[in-house]
Amino acid sequence: MSLSVRAVAHPWQCDVMGHLTTRFYMAMFDDASYHFLFEAFGWSGADAAGGLGFADVRHEIDYEAEVGAGDLLEITGRLEKLGGKSVTCVYEMHNLTRKERAARLTSVAVCFDTRARKAVPIPDEWRAKASAQPG
């Protein structure tokens, strides 16, 4: 399963050296994760009020090429691993303007009970939906 989210590197998101600053890479990857979790599991942020969500527990980012003001970006995501309580997702940021991959994020999140404030098993219906997705 894969998805695509598009973004623009705005000048106000760039640092004093003229390239996209780290905080905005993370924000773009975070936005893409909401889209991906909806696509993979049918979960949206609104569901967290109902008691179940996801909590990030690990991020590893590789910055591969510079992103500058005005660059057009596309973030793709895929499910790498589906555990009992956790999911590992890989997101890739592609710079459409420069025709190169700009960054890659490997993210581990746990299914999270928003009331008990702890990791819980991924519900069977979410697991079934994610497992039924192609690729």
Side-chain angles (χ1 to χ4, degrees):
M1 136 194 14
S2 184
L3 83 117
S4 175
V5 175
R6 293 188 175 217
V8 177
H10 295 281
W12 57 269
Q13 295 172 316
C14 294
D15 62 20
V16 296
M17 294 169 284
H19 54 242
L20 187 65
T21 190
T22 303
R23 75 178 76 187
F24 291 109
Y25 277 93
M26 202 60 224
M28 290 178 188
F29 281 128
D30 190 48
D31 287 348
S33 77
Y34 276 84
H35 287 272
F36 183 76
L37 293 171
F38 179 75
E39 188 71 25
F41 300 104
W43 179 87
S44 76
D47 294 322
L52 279 182
F54 287 92
D56 295 336
V57 295
R58 185 167 192 282
H59 291 128
E60 182 177 328
I61 301 177
D62 295 311
Y63 301 97
E64 298 177 10
E66 190 171 36
V67 173
D71 283 346
L72 301 176
L73 307 169
E74 179 177 58
I75 300 170
T76 59
R78 64 182 168 78
L79 184 62
E80 180 82 5
K81 180 180 173 188
L82 183 59
K85 294 181 181 179
S86 68
V87 296
T88 302
C89 302
V90 175
Y91 301 94
E92 292 184 350
M93 178 183 288
H94 301 271
N95 189 325
L96 301 176
T97 305
R98 301 176 192 218
K99 297 178 177 51
E100 60 190 357
R101 187 167 68 190
R104 177 186 165 140
L105 167 71
T106 302
S107 172
V108 178
V110 294
C111 187
F112 192 70
D113 182 317
T114 61
R115 294 185 182 109
R117 311 306 292 171
K118 66 178 187 173
V120 295
I122 296 168
D124 291 338
E125 59 272 14
W126 291 7
R127 181 176 303 285
K129 180 172 175 40
S131 297
Q133 301 290 326

